[in-house]
Amino acid sequence: MPHEILRAIDLVKIYDGRRVLDGLSLTASPGERIGLVGENGAGKSTLLRLLAGVEEPDGGTLERPVDSGFLAQELPYSPATTLQEAIDDALALTLQLSAELSRTSAELAAKPDDPVVLARYGDLLSRAEAAGLWDAESRAEKVLDRLGLSGIARTTSLQAISGGQRSRLALAVLLIRQPRALLLDEPTNHLDDAATVFVEEHLRTLPGTVVLASHDRAFLDAVCTTVIDLDPSRGGVTRYGGSYSHYLSEKQKERVRWEQQYAAEQAELHDLEHSVTVTAREVSHGRPMRDNNKLGYDRLGGRVEKQVSRRVRNAQRRRDELERDQVAAPSQLLTFRASLTSATVIEEPALTATDIVVPRRLTIESLEITSSERLLVTGPNGAGKSTLLSVLAGTLHPTSGSVEVADGVTRKMLLQDVSFARAQRSASSVYREHAGDDVPSLMELGLLSETQARSPVAHLSVGQRRRLALAILLASPPDVLLLDEPSNHLSLRLVEELEDAFDAAPGALIVATHDRWLRKRWDGREVRLLNGAAKEFVPLSA
């Protein structure tokens, strides 16, 4: 029987002298679905690449099922590959297994008492059942349909479809193939609600192992049976059995217990130090000798000295033990402290969009944004959400129509994908170049640590580069802030902090997102787009 366990032991991975992973161990069994969480740069994507064999560790050992699949950012096919060829490749192992099962079945019919053939047939039958051999073709059709790819002609080449369609095809290929170990990095990117729910349901039925990293909190909550936190806190990686919601609850309790234990130990250390240097050396706490008791005082002197010595030794021993075994000080979390918008409030609308047309992408008759607006833009892939935000931000000019901006109103937009020229420069210098010198530091904003700020931009993770882009926008907060998929690539904790900051922002916020967790908590208007047209303007609670 092929090896079924996915196991990493003492993994080490070093990039440019920095240990991204240091002695990490992980075991995942068939049927287990593990979600990886942690701050940007904690090593989630790195761990997935190592588990998949895309990269080699600098230390430690790895075991994985022979049939493992990794969701890469780019499909492993040439641009000229057709959709049908990609599907055929996804089904190749299943077809190979079917042919091998047929041959062994014929051999078993000829040698029904051969124990070797019988064992091989049993093994192949188990593998066929695990791979879903008998419904592979129907599974392929269902996956393509539910991921919004069934309308694409099978003869279409990959270079002729959009980036989002290629990403969905990469996921479809893996779901059709159904490997024994499935390794997914941000699988819900480019998926709408219906497709995301389908993937959740599909993953829950797989007999193999799933390990994934995702910014989608609702997805993690629906899929995961285990959450592994990669942030080093009290000794490194921590494993939590249960859903993402359970992880959040346990993580908060653990932090409280850690802080309480640290405070109690520090207080005890302070008392012990005082005891060693002062209290334990006192005789009856400094009571003076009576004039008529000098003889008795001298007679008891030796006993008192022994008592003092014993108390000092006991206090010293306890102090030394506690200093050796005390818990580390609770890590100082990078906490978001920036203002999202300025405090400018005006009577007239901040933005007024009228008769907007971007051919084949967007049609908006009228949309007003107040200076304190909370506007959520939703809709399926290709509905025009990013286009609407770009038009409102002034970075995309419509073919017809206009966006009127009130006097003095400033606009800034966080894009889904960010890039920086001269990426060998440090994050801090790039930030200063774009934001100026008289601005808060990256550390003051709570978006990058001092070490990350000194690092070249090229060495930052995708999420850390997006943090840098956000810092540049918020160094001088705009009156209108537009966020395109703000939860993409950002750590889950930072997204929670951003959402908390929405309530405190005095200016206008316009957010386009698929994030169901964020949408559930939204307090404001919602614009739903379909095929570029606004179908409804309703309060989200309606």
Side-chain angles (χ1 to χ4, degrees):
M1 186 73 177
H3 183 67
E4 296 289 328
I5 302 294
L6 180 66
R7 181 181 290 116
I9 302 173
D10 294 331
L11 284 191
V12 174
K13 187 61 181 178
I14 302 172
Y15 290 118
D16 300 307
R18 184 175 75 90
R19 286 181 176 251
V20 178
L21 299 175
D22 189 6
L24 181 145
S25 296
L26 173 151
T27 300
S29 302
E32 191 170 15
R33 299 182 298 276
I34 296 176
L36 304 177
V37 301
E39 285 298 313
N40 296 125
K44 300 183 293 295
S45 295
T46 297
L47 176 57
L48 287 169
R49 290 194 296 269
L50 293 177
L51 293 174
V54 175
E55 295 185 22
E56 291 299 319
D58 295 306
T61 58
L62 276 165
E63 301 172 18
R64 69 176 69 86
V66 174
D67 185 18
S68 298
F70 175 57
L71 181 62
Q73 297 302 311
E74 290 294 331
L75 281 162
Y77 308 119
S78 71
T81 302
T82 66
L83 185 67
Q84 185 61 57
E85 289 170 336
I87 296 168
D88 289 343
D89 184 64
L91 291 170
L93 288 176
T94 304
L95 296 175
Q96 180 182 339
L97 180 60
S98 178
E100 192 175 352
L101 186 64
S102 296
R103 287 194 300 270
T104 306
S105 178
E107 189 177 353
L108 183 63
K111 303 176 182 179
D113 298 323
D114 189 324
V116 175
V117 177
L118 187 61
R120 186 166 71 250
Y121 181 77
D123 175 46
L124 287 170
L125 198 60
S126 296
R127 289 167 56 191
E129 290 173 350
L133 172 63
W134 293 279
D135 66 349
E137 292 288 346
S138 61
R139 181 172 68 247
E141 295 297 331
K142 182 179 181 180
V143 167
L144 292 171
D145 178 57
R146 298 296 292 275
L147 294 186
L149 299 169
S150 58
I152 303 174
R154 297 293 179 89
T155 55
T156 305
S157 66
L158 301 186
Q159 62 190 354
I161 61 178
S162 69
Q165 289 171 326
R166 285 195 296 272
S167 294
R168 280 179 276 150
L169 180 59
L171 179 59
V173 164
L174 285 179
L175 297 184
I176 293 169
R177 182 179 144 201
Q178 203 159 290
R180 295 300 291 161
L182 194 54
L183 306 162
L184 306 174
D185 195 359
E186 298 293 355
T188 61
N189 282 359
H190 308 289
L191 298 184
D192 58 21
D193 283 2
T196 300
V197 170
F198 165 71
V199 174
E200 290 172 357
E201 295 170 346
H202 192 90
L203 292 181
R204 287 199 296 264
T205 67
L206 294 182
T209 301
V210 178
V211 182
L212 62 93
S214 176
H215 66 271
D216 189 331
R217 292 160 289 177
F219 183 78
L220 289 170
D221 212 36
V223 171
C224 295
T225 59
T226 301
V227 174
I228 292 181
D229 191 341
L230 297 188
D231 285 337
S233 54
R234 301 183 68 172
V237 171
T238 308
R239 188 183 189 103
Y240 300 83
S243 66
Y244 177 71
S245 291
H246 177 74
Y247 155 76
L248 287 178
S249 174
E250 291 302 307
K251 180 78 171 178
Q252 184 177 19
K253 293 176 186 176
E254 181 186 83
R255 177 77 185 192
V256 171
R257 288 194 299 269
W258 185 7
E259 291 173 346
Q260 289 174 341
Q261 183 180 354
Y262 178 77
E265 289 182 352
Q266 294 307 301
E268 186 179 358
L269 277 171
H270 179 270
D271 291 344
L272 287 169
E273 187 63 35
H274 186 262
S275 181
V276 168
T277 57
V278 180
T279 308
R281 300 179 186 277
E282 294 178 348
V283 180
S284 299
H285 300 288
R287 185 183 66 189
M289 178 187 67
R290 293 194 298 268
D291 290 340
N292 61 355
N293 197 31
K294 185 175 185 305
L295 182 61
Y297 195 93
D298 289 338
R299 186 173 62 247
L300 296 174
R303 186 187 305 169
V304 170
E305 287 296 329
K306 289 179 181 179
Q307 290 176 345
V308 169
S309 178
R310 183 169 61 252
R311 281 191 293 186
V312 170
R313 284 197 307 272
N314 289 342
Q316 287 175 330
R317 184 182 303 112
R318 173 57 184 156
R319 180 195 61 187
D320 294 342
E321 289 174 353
L322 193 54
E323 286 179 342
R324 182 182 66 246
D325 301 330
Q326 66 179 310
V327 300
S331 54
Q332 294 300 308
L333 300 176
L334 195 63
T335 303
F336 179 71
R337 291 184 292 272
S339 297
L340 292 178
T341 64
S342 73
T344 303
V345 178
I346 55 177
E347 294 285 338
E348 61 185 309
L351 304 176
T352 303
T354 307
D355 297 327
I356 301 295
V357 175
V358 178
R360 297 182 299 279
R361 293 163 67 185
L362 185 69
T363 302
I364 296 289
E365 291 184 5
S366 177
L367 178 61
E368 286 188 350
I369 306 297
T370 69
S371 62
S372 58
E373 183 72 73
R374 296 292 183 272
L375 182 66
L376 187 67
V377 181
T378 63
N381 289 322
K385 299 187 298 297
S386 295
T387 301
L388 175 57
L389 261 65
S390 297
V391 168
L392 294 175
T395 58
L396 175 64
H397 298 291
T399 302
S400 62
S402 63
V403 176
E404 183 179 343
V405 184
D407 290 344
V409 167
T410 57
R411 301 168 285 174
K412 293 182 180 179
M413 177 175 170
L414 178 67
L415 301 172
Q416 285 195 50
D417 301 306
V418 298
S419 61
F420 296 94
R422 304 166 69 188
Q424 293 306 317
R425 297 183 61 190
S426 72
S428 182
S429 62
V430 170
Y431 169 67
R432 296 289 179 184
E433 178 185 351
H434 285 83
D437 292 323
D438 190 22
V439 293
S441 70
L442 288 169
M443 291 74 75
E444 289 175 301
L445 293 176
L447 287 166
L448 289 177
S449 68
E450 186 174 355
T451 300
Q452 294 161 356
R454 290 197 303 264
S455 299
V457 172
H459 295 176
L460 299 179
S461 69
V462 174
Q464 287 167 343
R465 290 197 293 273
R466 205 160 189 234
R467 284 172 177 259
L468 176 58
L470 182 60
I472 291 170
L473 295 182
L474 301 184
S476 177
D479 301 308
V480 180
L481 179 64
L482 303 100
L483 302 171
D484 194 359
E485 297 291 356
S487 53
N488 281 11
H489 304 299
L490 296 180
S491 73
L492 300 176
R493 189 171 60 81
L494 176 57
V495 172
E496 295 275 354
E497 292 176 351
L498 273 177
E499 291 174 6
D500 291 340
F502 289 166
D503 297 331
L509 287 171
I510 305 173
V511 177
T513 186
H514 282 121
D515 190 328
R516 291 166 294 164
W517 198 285
L518 186 157
R519 284 154 43 196
K520 185 177 180 180
R521 296 176 56 186
W522 188 261
D523 183 17
R525 271 202 304 165
E526 178 188 7
V527 172
R528 297 175 187 166
L529 296 179
L530 183 63
N531 297 325
K535 294 299 183 182
E536 295 183 64
F537 297 85
V538 297
L540 190 59
S541 58

